[in-house]
Amino acid sequence: MAEPRKRRDNQGDRGGNAGGDKSDLTEKVVFINRCAKVVKGGRRFSFSALIVAGDRKGRVGFGFGKANEVSEAIRKASDSARKSLVKVAVLEHTIPHEVIGEFGGGRVLLKPASPGTGVIAGGGVRAVVEAAGIRDVLAKSLGSSNHANVVKATITALQHLRLRDEIYKVRGKIFHAAHPAAIPAAV
């Protein structure tokens, strides 16, 4: 008996889920820009969208898409964001240490926060850290307010984060985690 034929459609092997499963990623629209081109019959509008995508488990990326319709620009941007996911170091729902990220004119300062603080950040920084799964962090945008540069500076800052055991490994030292019983209790 002949094997049943596989249906060929747009959801085939090429494309679709190349960057991971779509359902486990959260996407957030950071900014939509409308550009007007003056032509003989009036104005022709085009749109650009800046999207941040992440799995809330330490992977985050951004995408930029341009099209003549908003929905198409968002789709292109989300496809781009899924392809550009990077792994970031997250330690107990915060970041391991303070870091400054720079991209173009954008500078972003990120500081670890104690549990329960929440995300103290605005705009593009908030979208990036929430998509990465960071729940407690303090942030301040120091440079340009350009949305794209702020998002890229935040991702650059997150990429510079390293956990303590990674640093010890590079230095050739052995990391001994202190046993909870060895630490004297506060009276």
Side-chain angles (χ1 to χ4, degrees):
M1 238 172 120
E3 289 182 31
R5 285 175 126 190
K6 285 188 178 179
R7 191 172 147 215
R8 256 184 106 178
D9 56 7
N10 291 339
Q11 304 300 321
D13 293 341
R14 293 182 285 159
N17 289 341
D21 193 19
K22 185 178 178 180
S23 62
D24 67 345
L25 293 179
T26 58
E27 294 179 350
K28 175 110 171 136
V29 177
V30 177
F31 186 66
I32 294 178
N33 188 41
R34 186 183 78 172
C35 185
K37 177 183 179 183
V38 180
V39 293
K40 185 176 167 185
R43 292 187 183 94
R44 180 162 295 156
F45 297 109
S46 63
F47 300 91
S48 62
L50 181 64
I51 302 274
V52 170
D55 63 355
R56 295 187 182 268
K57 296 175 190 163
R59 289 190 334 152
V60 67
F62 76 96
F64 190 72
K66 298 199 286 190
N68 290 330
E69 295 176 14
V70 175
S71 58
E72 189 67 14
I74 291 173
R75 186 193 61 76
K76 286 180 181 181
S78 64
D79 289 347
S80 175
R82 270 192 226 103
K83 291 176 187 172
S84 72
L85 291 176
V86 293
K87 187 91 174 121
V88 297
V90 179
L91 179 68
E92 297 171 3
H93 303 298
T94 188
I95 57 176
H97 55 84
E98 185 177 315
V99 67
I100 293 179
E102 294 185 11
F103 188 91
R107 287 183 68 205
V108 173
L109 167 69
L110 298 175
K111 285 185 175 182
S114 56
T117 304
V119 177
I120 311 294
V125 181
R126 174 179 288 271
V128 172
V129 296
E130 284 179 349
I134 299 169
R135 291 188 202 157
D136 302 304
V137 70
L138 304 170
K140 179 67 182 164
S141 179
L142 303 171
S144 167
S145 60
N146 179 306
H147 297 283
N149 284 345
V150 168
V151 167
K152 291 174 188 177
T154 306
I155 291 179
T156 302
L158 292 176
Q159 286 178 310
H160 284 109
L161 292 174
R162 294 191 298 171
L163 297 173
R164 182 178 294 172
D165 53 346
E166 293 173 8
I167 295 170
Y168 273 53
K169 191 184 226 180
V170 169
R171 294 180 184 175
K173 298 187 177 190
I174 300 168
F175 174 64
H176 298 289
H179 192 275
I183 300 171
V187 180

